[in-house]
Amino acid sequence: MPENWEWCRLKSLLSKLTDGTHHSPANTQEGDYMYVTAKNIKSTGISLDGITFVSRDIHAEIFSRCNPEEGDILYIKDGATTGIATINSLKEPFSMLSSVALLKPLKHIDNNYLLRFLQSPSCYNSTRNNMKGVGITRVTLTQMERWLVPFAPLEEQKSIGQQINNLFNLIENLENDKESLSNEVQSLKSKILNLAIRGKLVPQDPKDESASVLLERIKAKHPRSKKTASRTSDNSHYPFDIPENWIWVHGYECFNPMESKKPTGEIFLYIDIKSIDNKQHIISGAKSLKVSEAPSRASRGLAMGDTLFSMVRPYLENIAFVEEIYQDGIASTGFFVCKPNQMLYPKYLYYLMLSSYVIDGLNAFMKGDNSPSINNNNITSFLYPIPPMKEQKRIINKIEQISVFLDFVTEETKA
């Protein structure tokens, strides 16, 4: 320690070291004086959540021995939360249980400096390692009296205490900034998708084959529908403007039909709504089930590159891309399985279904009170903006490039 510091016993730095009543008094939701126990002591102050009260007579008896005042230190000495300390900020008198110790620093002791010592890892760990008792472990007031405290001159105590406060405030601000940054990243990802599906994320190339030409060629080979795709010459009645070589199409024009498939064999991979991580939009909890125990809803066949879109509460965004490891799985009928035809790269379809345009648009069709849902027709009749295939690939590459950077930033803030 510095030359002008000394080691002192805790008892010598206090005008009083005591605890609350050792007999749990009658306490109620209403009364004359607050009754503080260990559950009310937090490192950030006294929590009044669930506070109870004692009568005037009971308080007078307790307070005659244990009289907490503003600026005193309160320290939990009994039970699972032993070691938590705080400065009393309450101006009104209150009663305490014996699980909380009362420390009244002398005038030449800065209460904030002493608090930070009590909260230090060395003091906390030493306390926790020396707790004794059967049933409820504790430290005694006699043990506390003997604790050695590094005693500094008063001005230095104040300076140290203030610097530690500043550091804690900085840490708190950083934690708040992390949460704010995480929210900003999610918002930015959403904006990127909205730019992407409007043709504003990557430049158009006039050499790219128009999406409408591709659609006509597909229809010539697979004439499942005689309906005409929506052209871009007049965008006035479409959701928003898109580039000239893009096209508006309905879902039935760009999705292949869903596959009905029942489990076979002994074990199958089942994906229901709970299997989806709706924050990362991935399949994270697929279940291996016995075919004999297959739910009746297990009938949606999957293929690599499909996109699962939950029709139940679509606002929860249970949306996921089907990776290779899940291609033989079977999904619940709670999903619409978006199967891209030759007009779509699978990953473009995935990002399209994640866009707020699609999610908000389909949410508008929800019906029902207990489990508001949409149906297959809502999705297949919805209008989707489709760019040329080559531009789709550029969009996918740009989205994933930006996502890697944003994910890196998010992870760095957690370090």
Side-chain angles (χ1 to χ4, degrees):
M1 291 196 305
E3 291 184 3
N4 58 345
W5 288 39
E6 290 184 16
W7 285 106
C8 297
R9 299 290 181 185
L10 179 61
K11 181 179 180 180
S12 68
L13 306 178
L14 305 173
S15 63
K16 177 180 277 190
L17 173 60
T18 188
D19 55 9
T21 178
H22 288 243
H23 306 285
S24 184
N27 56 96
T28 58
Q29 299 299 316
E30 296 180 357
D32 299 314
Y33 290 90
M34 288 187 292
Y35 178 56
V36 172
T37 66
K39 69 178 174 32
N40 303 111
I41 306 300
K42 312 296 179 185
S43 59
T44 53
I46 298 176
S47 170
L48 299 184
D49 292 342
I51 196 77
T52 57
F53 296 83
V54 294
S55 68
R56 186 179 302 276
D57 290 342
I58 290 175
H59 169 74
E61 180 183 350
I62 297 172
F63 200 76
S64 64
R65 187 178 65 84
C66 178
N67 57 325
E69 299 172 298
E70 185 181 11
D72 290 344
I73 294 175
L74 306 179
Y75 185 90
I76 299 178
K77 65 179 187 64
D78 295 0
T81 55
T82 292
I84 293 178
T86 195
I87 292 176
N88 176 30
S89 59
L90 300 179
K91 293 180 171 58
E92 60 185 290
F94 55 87
S95 291
M96 295 200 311
L97 185 62
S98 60
S99 56
V100 183
L102 170 65
L103 290 73
K104 288 181 173 290
L106 293 169
K107 291 182 179 180
H108 60 280
I109 303 300
D110 181 69
N111 62 352
N112 189 49
Y113 172 80
L114 184 56
L115 172 71
R116 295 308 182 188
F117 164 75
L118 295 171
Q119 293 177 333
S120 68
S122 60
C123 182
Y124 179 83
N125 293 334
S126 176
T127 301
R128 301 291 300 184
N129 291 333
N130 288 282
M131 294 171 66
K132 296 179 181 180
V134 178
I136 298 177
T137 55
R138 56 177 54 87
V139 290
T140 65
L141 295 178
T142 302
Q143 285 177 290
M144 293 179 65
E145 288 177 349
R146 296 197 298 265
W147 287 351
L148 284 171
V149 181
F151 177 63
L154 182 58
E155 290 306 313
E156 201 166 346
Q157 292 178 41
K158 292 180 178 179
S159 175
I160 291 170
Q162 186 57 53
Q163 288 182 48
I164 294 175
N165 284 348
N166 292 341
L167 287 173
F168 273 95
N169 289 335
L170 177 60
I171 291 170
E172 184 177 354
N173 289 336
L174 285 173
E175 291 298 324
N176 292 337
D177 287 345
K178 285 182 183 180
E179 183 176 351
S180 176
L181 178 60
S182 178
N183 293 335
E184 287 296 327
V185 166
Q186 293 306 313
S187 176
L188 184 55
K189 285 184 176 181
S190 177
K191 289 176 182 177
I192 289 166
L193 293 181
N194 287 327
L195 289 173
I197 67 168
R198 286 167 169 77
K200 296 179 180 180
L201 186 63
V202 298
Q204 280 72 52
D205 186 343
K207 296 178 183 178
D208 291 343
E209 180 185 55
S210 169
S212 61
V213 173
L214 174 60
L215 178 61
E216 293 305 321
R217 192 167 67 251
I218 292 172
K219 284 188 173 183
K221 292 181 180 179
H222 308 282
R224 282 199 306 266
S225 173
K226 296 181 181 180
K227 296 182 180 180
T228 304
S230 306
R231 304 295 180 181
T232 61
S233 56
D234 176 14
N235 283 324
S236 60
H237 59 288
Y238 299 133
F240 49 81
D241 291 341
I242 54 177
E244 289 185 6
N245 57 353
W246 288 41
I247 195 170
W248 284 103
V249 299
H250 295 93
Y252 55 75
E253 297 172 288
C254 60
F255 299 159
N256 284 325
M258 285 192 288
E259 175 192 358
S260 180
K261 181 180 178 181
K262 286 294 184 180
T264 58
E266 295 183 2
I267 302 292
F268 76 104
L269 200 61
Y270 180 54
I271 299 168
D272 60 9
I273 306 300
K274 293 180 181 178
S275 304
I276 307 300
D277 180 336
N278 65 354
K279 300 299 181 185
Q280 300 185 69
H281 301 295
I282 59 173
I283 300 170
S284 63
K287 306 168 186 174
S288 293
L289 299 180
K290 293 180 180 179
V291 170
S292 59
E293 299 174 355
S296 60
R297 293 168 66 86
S299 63
R300 296 275 202 245
L302 301 179
M304 182 175 67
D306 290 345
T307 292
L308 296 174
F309 192 100
S310 172
M311 295 189 291
V312 181
R313 296 186 177 90
Y315 55 84
L316 294 179
E317 300 185 20
N318 286 302
I319 305 164
F321 187 77
V322 179
E323 303 285 356
E324 185 176 3
I325 59 172
Y326 300 114
Q327 65 179 348
D328 296 321
I330 296 179
S332 162
T333 53
F335 292 108
F336 185 94
V337 182
C338 306
K339 293 180 171 291
N341 68 10
Q342 293 169 285
M343 285 199 72
L344 294 167
Y345 273 108
K347 270 296 179 75
Y348 176 78
L349 173 57
Y350 167 66
Y351 291 129
L352 177 60
M353 300 306 291
L354 278 176
S355 69
S356 61
Y357 160 68
V358 171
I359 294 171
D360 294 344
L362 292 176
N363 280 341
F365 296 108
M366 281 192 304
K367 291 183 180 180
D369 295 325
N370 294 330
S371 297
S373 305
I374 59 175
N375 59 41
N376 295 355
N377 185 62
N378 297 144
I379 296 178
T380 57
S381 62
F382 197 72
L383 278 171
Y384 301 91
I386 309 298
M389 291 293 288
K390 288 185 177 180
E391 188 171 344
Q392 289 182 39
K393 195 167 186 178
R394 294 196 298 273
I395 289 171
I396 294 166
N397 290 338
K398 179 59 71 173
I399 290 174
E400 294 185 344
Q401 178 185 0
I402 296 172
S403 293
V404 166
F405 172 73
L406 292 177
D407 290 341
F408 172 77
V409 171
T410 302
E411 287 302 313
E412 282 296 298
T413 62
K414 295 178 182 178

